[in-house]
Amino acid sequence: MSTETHRLTITELASCSDSAVLRVSGELDQSCEEYFLRTLGASVEAGHRHLVLDVTALMFCDSRGLNCLLAVRWLLARREGRLLLAGAGRRLSEMLALTGSTELLPVHRTVGQALQTLPADERPQWPPTEPSKPD
């Protein structure tokens, strides 16, 4: 599943009943916040209590984008879940540090490392296997 706006793309890379790994690419700002919140909200409504966001291809995130991340974190925390970031670049990492958000939004180097912080029975297979193709 991949959905996008003109500046932001969100692609599901792997999932299981409790968790999903989503790649967030492009720019996360005011123009994309409704789309971002609607898309991640749908993932939570589908039953995912834990979300790992692969943000290696997130080129820009401003204060509105940070507010979106914190809103999703709050939603997941209410369901006893977690929001984890993987592959944050220098600018996003600096913004998280400057705003004191690193405790609320843990950043891991890779998706695999982020998934290791979740209970084994609540994380999807990583790396995902490609579905078998019919002959």
Side-chain angles (χ1 to χ4, degrees):
M1 170 190 90
S2 179
T3 55
E4 65 182 281
T5 67
H6 66 287
R7 294 177 37 205
L8 185 71
T9 303
I10 301 172
T11 306
E12 184 176 287
L13 301 177
S15 69
C16 65
S17 61
D18 291 311
S19 305
V21 177
L22 305 171
R23 176 175 294 134
V24 180
S25 307
E27 300 177 12
L28 180 54
D29 58 15
Q30 179 182 357
S31 69
C32 303
E33 69 183 322
E34 183 181 328
Y35 161 74
F36 179 83
L37 293 171
R38 185 177 60 248
T39 302
L40 271 64
S43 186
V44 173
E45 287 298 317
H48 300 127
R49 293 183 320 112
H50 309 294
L51 295 179
V52 175
L53 302 185
D54 176 354
V55 293
T56 54
L58 185 63
M59 300 300 151
F60 179 79
C61 181
D62 64 6
S63 61
R64 294 293 283 260
L66 176 60
N67 284 335
C68 289
L69 293 171
L70 292 169
V72 171
R73 182 226 172 252
W74 177 84
L75 178 62
L76 291 168
R78 290 185 51 93
R79 296 170 186 248
E80 299 179 7
R82 299 177 64 198
L83 176 64
L84 305 168
L85 304 178
R90 182 183 57 83
R91 291 184 75 184
L92 179 57
S93 295
E94 286 176 356
M95 181 171 56
L96 293 172
L98 286 171
T99 60
S101 302
T102 52
E103 293 290 321
L104 298 172
L105 296 169
V107 177
H108 302 272
R109 290 187 60 168
T110 67
V111 169
Q113 289 173 348
L115 287 170
Q116 290 299 315
T117 67
L118 300 175
D121 61 336
E122 295 182 13
R123 60 183 180 232
Q125 178 178 342
W126 192 261
T129 58
E130 291 189 33
S132 58
K133 296 179 180 159
D135 294 327

mmCIF file of all heavy atoms in Angstrom, residues 7 10 12 18 79 82 99 124:
data_model
loop_
_atom_site.group_PDB
_atom_site.id
_atom_site.type_symbol
_atom_site.label_atom_id
_atom_site.label_comp_id
_atom_site.label_asym_id
_atom_site.label_seq_id
_atom_site.Cartn_x
_atom_site.Cartn_y
_atom_site.Cartn_z
ATOM 1 N N ARG A 7 3.660 16.172 -2.251
ATOM 2 C CA ARG A 7 4.977 16.364 -1.634
ATOM 3 C C ARG A 7 5.327 15.315 -0.593
ATOM 4 O O ARG A 7 6.414 15.360 -0.029
ATOM 5 C CB ARG A 7 5.037 17.749 -1.008
ATOM 6 C CG ARG A 7 4.957 18.828 -2.068
ATOM 7 C CD ARG A 7 4.926 20.220 -1.566
ATOM 8 N NE ARG A 7 5.752 20.451 -0.415
ATOM 9 C CZ ARG A 7 5.519 21.413 0.458
ATOM 10 N NH1 ARG A 7 4.490 22.195 0.312
ATOM 11 N NH2 ARG A 7 6.308 21.598 1.483
ATOM 12 N N ILE A 10 3.663 7.987 1.685
ATOM 13 C CA ILE A 10 3.707 7.054 2.801
ATOM 14 C C ILE A 10 3.449 5.663 2.241
ATOM 15 O O ILE A 10 2.418 5.428 1.609
ATOM 16 C CB ILE A 10 2.662 7.411 3.878
ATOM 17 C CG1 ILE A 10 2.923 8.831 4.403
ATOM 18 C CG2 ILE A 10 2.690 6.384 5.008
ATOM 19 C CD1 ILE A 10 1.856 9.360 5.321
ATOM 20 N N GLU A 12 3.547 1.460 3.106
ATOM 21 C CA GLU A 12 3.662 0.387 4.090
ATOM 22 C C GLU A 12 4.677 -0.629 3.588
ATOM 23 O O GLU A 12 4.541 -1.171 2.493
ATOM 24 C CB GLU A 12 2.317 -0.288 4.317
ATOM 25 C CG GLU A 12 2.368 -1.336 5.406
ATOM 26 C CD GLU A 12 1.014 -1.940 5.697
ATOM 27 O OE1 GLU A 12 0.177 -1.269 6.311
ATOM 28 O OE2 GLU A 12 0.818 -3.105 5.284
ATOM 29 N N ASP A 18 -0.223 -6.220 15.186
ATOM 30 C CA ASP A 18 0.069 -5.175 16.168
ATOM 31 C C ASP A 18 0.898 -4.018 15.647
ATOM 32 O O ASP A 18 0.893 -2.946 16.256
ATOM 33 C CB ASP A 18 0.817 -5.782 17.371
ATOM 34 C CG ASP A 18 -0.062 -6.694 18.189
ATOM 35 O OD1 ASP A 18 -1.186 -6.275 18.529
ATOM 36 O OD2 ASP A 18 0.369 -7.820 18.484
ATOM 37 N N ARG A 79 -3.213 3.839 23.298
ATOM 38 C CA ARG A 79 -3.509 2.431 22.998
ATOM 39 C C ARG A 79 -2.391 1.513 23.496
ATOM 40 O O ARG A 79 -2.266 0.390 23.044
ATOM 41 C CB ARG A 79 -3.714 2.264 21.501
ATOM 42 C CG ARG A 79 -4.913 3.038 21.001
ATOM 43 C CD ARG A 79 -4.979 3.064 19.492
ATOM 44 N NE ARG A 79 -6.062 3.921 19.060
ATOM 45 C CZ ARG A 79 -7.159 3.471 18.459
ATOM 46 N NH1 ARG A 79 -7.300 2.209 18.189
ATOM 47 N NH2 ARG A 79 -8.103 4.320 18.099
ATOM 48 N N ARG A 82 3.556 2.403 20.630
ATOM 49 C CA ARG A 82 4.723 3.270 20.494
ATOM 50 C C ARG A 82 4.878 3.741 19.058
ATOM 51 O O ARG A 82 4.514 3.051 18.117
ATOM 52 C CB ARG A 82 5.981 2.504 20.895
ATOM 53 C CG ARG A 82 5.937 2.044 22.345
ATOM 54 C CD ARG A 82 7.137 1.228 22.730
ATOM 55 N NE ARG A 82 8.343 2.048 22.640
ATOM 56 C CZ ARG A 82 9.559 1.539 22.577
ATOM 57 N NH1 ARG A 82 9.744 0.242 22.616
ATOM 58 N NH2 ARG A 82 10.607 2.332 22.502
ATOM 59 N N THR A 99 14.106 20.599 20.567
ATOM 60 C CA THR A 99 12.767 20.743 21.152
ATOM 61 C C THR A 99 12.551 19.815 22.342
ATOM 62 O O THR A 99 11.472 19.807 22.930
ATOM 63 C CB THR A 99 11.675 20.474 20.093
ATOM 64 O OG1 THR A 99 11.839 19.140 19.590
ATOM 65 C CG2 THR A 99 11.750 21.481 18.958
ATOM 66 N N PRO A 124 6.403 -7.162 12.921
ATOM 67 C CA PRO A 124 6.342 -7.883 11.647
ATOM 68 C C PRO A 124 7.701 -8.472 11.284
ATOM 69 O O PRO A 124 8.726 -8.089 11.848
ATOM 70 C CB PRO A 124 5.946 -6.787 10.652
ATOM 71 C CG PRO A 124 6.454 -5.524 11.253
ATOM 72 C CD PRO A 124 6.362 -5.715 12.742
#
